[in-house]
Amino acid sequence: MMEQTKMMYYEDRILTASKGRLLLITFEMMLEEMKDARRYLERNDFTRFKKSLDQGQKILGYLMETLDMRFDISKELIGVYFYINKQLAISKISRKVKGLNDAIHILERMMDGFEEVVDSQDDGQPLIESIGSPFIDTFVYGRNGQLV
C-alpha cells in the first residue's frame, strides 16, 4: 500500500496532468500497487499482499467506472479489465503469483500503448483547471477521504 510521501508525489503530478497524462498516472499507481503485492506475496506477507492487491483492484475499478461505453474501444477495454480483475482474484485466493504476473504484463503493455497515443496527441493542458481541485480529493483520497 502506498505511503503518504508517494501519494503526495502523485498528487503533485495529478494537479498538473493533462487528461492523457492522468490516465498514465492512474496506470502507474495501479502497477505500483500490483508490483508491491507481488513483492509481499513472495515474502509470504499475506496481509500487505492483500492490502496492495485491494488497492490495485480499486484503481482498476475506477478505470472501469470511467469508461464511456458509447465508444467501441471502451467495450473492448472493459473485457480486458474484467480479465485482469479475474487474474487478480485468482492470485488473491490461491496466493500464487501467476495471475498477478499475467495482470502486470497486460497492464504494462496497455500502458505502453496509451503512452504512445498520449505522446502523439496530448495538448498538455492540465485537466484540473477545467474541473477544479475537488477532483484531487476523490481521485487520490477516494470518496471516503482515505488514500486510494
Side-chain angles (χ1 to χ4, degrees), residues 2 8 66 72 78 82 88 92 96 104 106 113 125 138:
M2 266 186 241
M8 289 173 63
T66 57
D72 289 338
I78 196 91
F82 275 126
L88 297 175
K92 189 185 294 184
K96 302 229 184 291
I104 290 169
I106 293 167
Q125 209 43 32
T138 301

Side-chain angles (χ1 to χ4, degrees), residues 12-75:
D12 288 343
R13 289 182 57 208
I14 290 167
L15 283 169
T16 59
S18 64
K19 190 174 185 177
R21 292 281 162 216
L22 189 57
L23 176 65
L24 296 175
I25 292 168
T26 305
F27 268 81
E28 284 177 39
M29 292 170 66
M30 181 171 43
L31 281 164
E32 184 169 334
E33 291 292 353
M34 290 181 189
K35 288 177 181 178
D36 284 350
R38 179 173 57 194
R39 227 179 356 268
Y40 293 133
L41 181 59
E42 290 167 351
R43 295 180 191 156
N44 293 325
D45 186 342
F46 300 119
T47 302
R48 286 186 175 163
F49 160 70
K50 185 182 177 313
K51 282 183 181 178
S52 287
L53 198 55
D54 287 346
Q55 288 300 107
Q57 285 182 295
K58 275 186 187 177
I59 297 169
L60 182 62
Y62 170 81
L63 288 173
M64 293 168 80
E65 288 175 19
T66 57
L67 286 173
D68 186 343
M69 298 311 284
R70 294 177 296 168
F71 299 101
D72 289 338
I73 188 71
S74 294
K75 293 171 186 162

